[in-house]
Amino acid sequence: MLLELNNIFKWVTQGGNRVFLLKHLDLAVEQGDFLSVMGPSGSGKSTLLHVLGMLDDFNEGEYYFQGEPVHGFRDKQRARFQKEHIGFVFQAYHLIDELTVYENIETPLLYQKVSSSERKALVADMLDRFGIVGKKDLFPAQLSGGQQQLVGVARALIGKPRLLLADEPTGNLNSRQSREIMELFQELNAEGTTIIQATHSETNAAYGSRTLHLLDGSWTSTPEP
Amino acid sequence: MIRNYLKIAWRNLMKHKAYSLINIFGLAMGAAICLLIVLYIQSERSVDAWRTDADNVYRMALIRKYPTRQSSYAIIPQSFAQTVKEELPEVEQAVRIFNFINNGTLQIRYGDQKFEETKVLLADPTFFAIFKSNLLYGSEEKALSEPNSIVLSERTARKYFGDPARAVGQVLIPELNDEQPLVVSAVVADWPEASHFTFNALVSTAGLDNFEEENYTGFSAHTYFRLHAGASPEKVEAAMPGIIRKFAAGSIQRSFYMPIDEFMAAGNGYTYFLQPLKKIYLTSHLENELRVNGNETTLYIFGLVAIFILFIACVNFINLATARASERAKEVGIRKTFGSERRMLIFQFISESFLISLLAMAVAVALFALLVPVFNDISGKEFTFAALASPGAVALLVVFTCITGSLAGIYPAFVLSSFSPILVLRGRFKSGSHGRSIRSGLVVFQFAISVILIICTLVVNRQMDYMTGERLGFNTEQTVILERTDLLGENTRAFKNELSAIRGVLNVTGSTALPGQQNYFGVSWSTPDKRNEPITGRGILVDEDYADALSLELVKGRFFSRDFPTDSLGVVLNEKAAAELGLPDDPIGQRLITPEEFLNGPEGTEKTYHVIGVVKDFHYQSLHEPITPLVFTSGAPFNNVLGLTAIHVETGAMEPVLSQVKEVWSRFVPEKPLTFQFLDQTIANQYDTEATARKVFTFFSFITIFIACIGLLGLAAYTTRQRVHEIGVRKVLGASVGNIVLMLSRNFIRLVGIATLVAVPVAWYFMYRWLQNFTYRIDSSWDLFVWASAISLATAFLTISFQAVRAAVQNPVKSLRTE
Ligand SMILES: Nc1ncnc2c1ncn2[C@@H]1O[C@H](COP(=O)(O)OP(=O)(O)O)[C@@H](O)[C@H]1O
Ligand SMILES: [Mg+2]
């Protein structure tokens, strides 16, 4: 078991009332899963991914990652787990505009105390694999959306995470670019990376090994184990 | 990693060029000014500090108590040097330095050449034993030991003889009464400027009888003592009252006609104290200093100003950095998502501000080069660009870089690094709102400082105008003062007649002193029935035209007149003197006596004077001092041969009159060229220190408000850009340019308004304190504060509206499309 959520609640207080973002949520993800989370806009997909990615807190419930209780972690521990095991891909790419492709991909390694020669090798591999060697000195603004998302994925993978979290990764891309990214995900999954993606599109969800539906912060059907 | 940070920092700088320029230029300006101020402070503090052998050297100075006031003098009676040295075991060596007449200016002949020599001092033979000097030619022991020897500075020796090596043994003739030849005994390396006195030539007192005469009451000698190592100066000070009793009692009896006990009981007294040599320049401001000394308070004020200016520049950086936070927020969110800890982000932002402050320092060096001449002009220093090459200055640059780098970087670093990645990545981050209240506070602070400086500038300026203005009680305008008119001798009358005949001359008068000059002699007077209760005051010899020439106002009686031969025994008093003498309401005809020798007959026969008039009090001395008793006596007994001659000239006639005066002078005194001054100028000279303060304050307040406005400009540009969309919408809905400008300016103007409110009481307090330096001062009236507020508000408004108008006149369709 890679991770497990037990009865997770997350809410915000607005005007004295609790507004639930996640409600009574259970989830179990095995190593090697490729999970697609679907649901209308505002249903809580992003919130869920942030919780899973340890970027955001939750108010109640338990979260085990590789058997370790994330709900009991201190900030430092959480940050360490996050940077060692989790990679993110965003709908809006979220590349650093002032850095080149090469430097963007390299960034996570800077926070993991990887030596500079090793960094060079890892980034070179990644550029090669994604076929963007020729673009390495360009800035994000000089790339198409699909290419930017490729860089985003490369950056998410450079630290060799166990879990790849992708929040509507193709939301800003055309269908051909979407297909390329999804095929890439499938490949990665086949190589052993666990992937959880949030998506609007049935087509994209179909690339996953299973799909869950979220509505107002709860599953619409009980998730199968 | 740091490479990655610096790369980002650099690219950010390049991407936002205007923003970077504002930041860097503001910081650079602040740093350049700070550099100047620090150099200034260093140079002021270095005066006499280089005298490694002077730790045990003290100057003896004096507080003289009079029954109604007290004065402090840098000179003391000439006999104390010898007496104190003999009486007190603590004292190892003593030396006296005397000012030559005429403030040390002397005509000197060498062969058939003639020079005007300035800064000539008289010194005891022990001079070089206390003031260790670098003698280039001649020996220390013999330099001043022989009568009529003169020591020249290297520069002076070169002037006379071309080669200083030729100087020793040459003969110079001073144009003094007896023209006693002086023999050059030594040449000394030019005396450093960083000294509380300096000279071009030293004449020995050896063999001059009048310096050996016993005198314990007349102040004349700058007296320095070297104490034995470890000896306590307090002990010397404590022994002085005993020495006064033992040695000065006779002098006091002779001068004041009363035994010392009675004299003291009447409220008189002498307190002798020692000033460490190294502290004289910055802390001593007594009468008869050897030069205008520096001022420790000024240094503190400068230091404070430097810190303020640096801070204001850093505030600009902080404000712009936090205002732009939203633009950096995305990067923060991404970095956090990919594993950056907060402290790494803090480190990143601080290293970024270090990069900026490093660039700023480079610009500061360039600005320094531009500002040096301006600053020299203001402060009277002679800094060069090369001053930056000293290790001290380089260290200073490094320190500045670190201070500004961290001071400016820390707050933004903490703010930026605190952003939660979720908010940022969700795009929920509200731009610009971060740190708005702190930003407002800092803007208020900046402008408060600016307003304080503006108020100070205005107050200093107004006080200066007051001091040089017309409320002095006499005419200062259109008056030229001829010097050395005592050289005219028996031709005085004829000379004066010729001058009076020149077209445009209103009045001509001879006297021993004029306002703005220190030539009034100290004198005491009493009524014959109270000869034991004399008043001390100032005395002056004048001819009959003095009152008219200066437009003095007579409140009783009349001034001296040619029609009354008995006026040679008449006196005219100022109101203060009449009051202190306790004369009746109508003092005319009252009889007065004085112990002053030259005002009495030969062999000490006493002359009795009578009061013929009283003039309204006027500021014959500087406004630092209260008006003291002034007694005019007639120059007639001396055939009106007087040192100074003042000519009051019709408006506009000064130039032609002067050229004719010169012509007349050259006929009467062919051997000496005419030297003259303007009365208003000599009066202004009394306020040199204040004039410098005036220029300095003006300069600093200009710089401060300039830097503050640079920051405001950046901030305004930024907020305006953020509101481009809103402006577009409002314009489509019908808002006028005026509406928009008002909308954009309102908040800033409010802040500057608050700053003014904060600044006014602070400035009022400081200026109240400063004005206490003057016996006669302006009120810090409210209109100054209104002016200062108006100036700051106007500059701020101009700065902001420049941006606002640009945004407001833009075509709304364009701004909406960029959305
Ligand atoms: N911090 C928050 N405060 C208030 N409401 C929030 C907060 N975070 C998310 N929401 C709300 O929670 C709901 C779920 O949001 P999100 O997880 O982004 O949905 P999705 O990604 O499925 O579109 C939305 O209605 C959103 O507005
Ligand atoms: Mg979402």
Side-chain angles (χ1 to χ4, degrees), chain B residues 323-440:
Chain B
R324 275 191 64 236
S326 56
E327 286 170 20
R328 300 303 296 276
K330 179 181 154 196
E331 181 190 334
V332 171
I334 295 169
R335 284 185 186 272
K336 282 194 165 177
T337 308
F338 286 95
S340 175
E341 285 165 36
R342 183 161 179 210
R343 62 185 170 84
M344 295 173 175
L345 286 164
I346 292 176
F347 179 71
Q348 173 183 350
F349 287 116
I350 289 184
S351 55
E352 205 167 305
S353 78
F354 263 83
L355 176 72
I356 290 181
S357 66
L358 203 65
L359 291 171
M361 287 313 133
V363 179
V365 169
L367 282 177
F368 178 88
L370 288 176
L371 286 173
V372 155
V374 185
F375 189 78
N376 282 346
D377 182 42
I378 289 170
S379 67
K381 291 277 169 190
E382 283 170 12
F383 296 133
T384 57
F385 183 63
L388 274 192
S390 74
V394 171
L396 209 64
L397 276 172
V398 173
V399 170
F400 272 156
T401 313
C402 295
I403 291 181
T404 50
S406 44
L407 196 65
I410 279 177
Y411 176 72
F414 274 82
V415 170
L416 287 168
S417 66
S418 73
F419 295 151
S420 139
I422 308 270
L423 290 185
V424 175
L425 298 179
R426 272 181 185 277
R428 204 180 277 278
F429 184 81
K430 271 213 206 66
S431 57
S433 65
H434 269 263
R436 180 172 287 164
S437 56
I438 293 232
R439 216 148 49 230
S440 305

Side-chain angles (χ1 to χ4, degrees), chain B residues 679-750:
Chain B
L679 180 59
D680 48 2
Q681 194 54 50
T682 62
I683 289 171
N685 288 346
Q686 297 178 312
Y687 310 107
D688 268 354
T689 325
E690 286 79 15
T692 308
R694 171 192 216 162
K695 284 192 268 181
V696 165
F697 270 122
T698 312
F699 181 68
F700 283 155
S701 54
F702 179 77
I703 297 277
T704 329
I705 197 151
F706 179 71
I707 298 177
C709 280
I710 285 184
L712 200 59
L713 184 73
L715 216 49
Y718 185 76
T719 46
T720 308
R721 189 148 53 88
Q722 275 187 321
R723 295 173 78 171
V724 160
H725 181 64
E726 179 189 346
I727 293 167
V729 173
R730 282 178 191 269
K731 281 191 80 174
V732 171
L733 295 178
S736 71
V737 170
N739 295 143
I740 305 270
V741 171
L742 191 67
M743 173 189 95
L744 290 170
S745 315
R746 197 162 36 206
N747 189 39
F748 286 119
I749 296 302
R750 211 195 59 200

Side-chain angles (χ1 to χ4, degrees), chain A residues 12 14 21 40-48 167-168, chain B residues 426 428:
Chain A
V12 290
Q14 274 177 351
L21 308 182
S41 193
S43 59
K45 302 184 296 293
S46 296
T47 310
L48 175 61
D167 193 354
E168 303 190 32
Chain B
R426 272 181 185 277
R428 204 180 277 278

